[in-house]
Each structure stands twice: as structure tokens, then as C-alpha cells.
Amino acid sequence: FMAKLDDTDWAVIMDYDAMFTHNKWFHVVHEAIKEGGALITCPTNRTGNPYQKAKVDENNHNMEYHYKIGKELYEKHGNEVKDFKCPGYLMSGYTMIFPKTLWSAIGGFPQGQYGVDNDVHRKAMEEGFPIKILPGVYIYHAYFRL
């Protein structure tokens, strides 16, 4: 899929059990990519990386609850793009947003199912790509628990 994109295109890759919680996400992502090449993620309810985790009840799977959180975080942060620092951790890739130029610079994705997100994060940093987070785009992530 990535090889078929134009060099100026961006990709949004998500786990099968993750979803956006409000319909403004596309606008926020569109504005964020105007800042230039970066590896971008979003906060979520369930992840192994505490720096990506929103302050929510991770055991609550009621979607009305998560839509409410998404709306609140969007109203609070809007189109904000923040530097993402997670000392001692690598990005959990339930949602990764990046330009094709990043994919090309890191030599594509490694083979296999697990650890791809960590590999992309590590190589993106090595290649000098900024790492960002969109605090106004909350992602519900079932994280294999349903």
C-alpha cells in the first residue's frame, strides 16, 4: 500500500480495534500535516505506553462514554499539535500518522506483526523526524479485550 502512494501523500494506519471518537479528526489531522513531516499519534484509553494514555476509565467500553471524552478533548485542545516525548518507551502504534517520506527514509516496515510500531518510532527518531501527538483527537482502543 505505502509503495503506491505519491511521495507527497500521508498515511493513517490504525489497529483493527481502534477508532476515532469524533468527526473532527480529519480536520485536525489535515491541519497537523501542514506543519511538515512527522510521526504523529493520538491519546487513547488503552495502551502499554503511559504517555499516550488519556485519563479515562480503561475498563469502560460504553461508546457513549468514549464519544463524550472525544468531544471534551477536542473542545479543550482543538487542532493542537504537541511534541510527543515518552522517556523509556516507544510509541504504541494503535494509530500512526506519517508521510510517505518517513516510510521511505526508514526503509519501509519490518516483516512481522508485532513490534512494527516500535521499529517505526525508533527509526523515525534516528532519521530526525519529529514525533507529535494530537491531544484533541481521542482514540478508543479495545486493545484485544472485547
Side-chain angles (χ1 to χ4, degrees):
F1 166 78
M2 291 302 299
K4 293 181 182 223
L5 295 178
D6 288 336
D7 288 340
T8 58
D9 287 340
W10 283 65
V12 176
I13 296 179
M14 298 179 75
D15 284 0
Y16 75 93
D17 61 346
M19 65 181 279
F20 295 104
T21 58
H22 61 70
N23 63 1
K24 306 281 189 207
W25 72 268
F26 185 83
H27 176 71
V28 178
V29 170
H30 187 260
E31 291 300 309
I33 66 176
K34 289 179 182 178
E35 292 191 14
L39 175 59
I40 304 171
T41 192
C42 304
T44 190
N45 60 312
R46 296 187 113 167
T47 180
N49 184 326
Y51 295 95
Q52 288 173 272
K53 197 171 184 180
K55 293 178 181 170
V56 299
D57 177 1
E58 71 177 53
N59 295 310
N60 183 338
H61 295 288
N62 180 321
M63 290 312 298
E64 287 183 16
Y65 171 78
H66 292 285
Y67 294 142
K68 181 179 179 232
I69 298 293
K71 180 180 180 191
E72 289 170 358
L73 288 176
Y74 177 73
E75 287 173 353
K76 180 177 181 180
H77 297 284
N79 295 346
E80 186 178 353
V81 181
K82 294 177 75 172
D83 288 332
F84 179 63
K85 300 195 182 341
C86 50
Y89 291 87
L90 289 169
M91 180 183 289
S92 178
Y94 52 86
T95 302
M96 295 190 299
I97 304 162
F98 55 91
K100 182 178 179 182
T101 54
L102 184 149
W103 177 81
S104 298
I106 67 172
F109 299 139
Q111 295 298 312
Q113 183 176 0
Y114 296 103
V116 171
D117 48 1
N118 297 163
D119 190 69
V120 169
H121 186 184
R122 184 175 22 266
K123 288 179 178 178
M125 289 188 303
E126 289 169 2
E127 292 294 327
F129 284 88
I131 312 300
K132 306 283 186 174
I133 191 164
L134 305 177
V137 181
Y138 172 69
I139 304 292
Y140 168 76
H141 188 207
Y143 206 45
F144 309 113
R145 302 290 199 266
L146 294 178

